[in-house]
Amino acid sequence: MADNPRTDTARDTDDRDLIEGMIPAGGADAGSAGGALAQDVGSQDDLTRAIDDPEGHDRVTKQDDIDHGQARPADRGPNR
């Protein structure tokens, strides 16, 4: 089966080594950057793991978005 021309172009212009070389070894650390929403959900997830379920995970819900001003409550439906 013949390769897609886009695949060949992607292989020929691969910048992975250049991009990875821009970050010093050990310099990339995961964090809770991204605003208060990410920090709050991360903290809530830590509490869930410590207290309730070590294998559990929390994720962002619509109510979290509403609480942080990133979404609005629905103006239609039974709970208006």
Side-chain angles (χ1 to χ4, degrees):
M1 182 173 187
D3 278 340
N4 184 331
R6 292 179 65 183
T7 304
D8 293 333
T9 302
R11 286 186 187 130
D12 293 341
T13 59
D14 183 20
D15 292 335
R16 181 173 30 122
D17 295 332
L18 176 67
I19 294 168
E20 289 179 358
M22 296 172 73
I23 301 172
D29 295 324
S32 59
L37 177 60
Q39 291 174 343
D40 290 348
V41 172
S43 298
Q44 183 177 353
D45 188 45
D46 290 342
L47 287 174
T48 298
R49 286 181 173 186
I51 297 172
D52 295 331
D53 182 12
E55 299 298 321
H57 292 287
D58 289 339
R59 55 186 178 168
V60 178
T61 62
K62 173 121 186 206
Q63 187 60 49
D64 292 326
D65 288 336
I66 292 169
D67 293 343
H68 286 84
Q70 296 181 0
R72 293 185 315 203
D75 57 353
R76 295 181 261 191
N79 297 328
R80 325 185 231 178

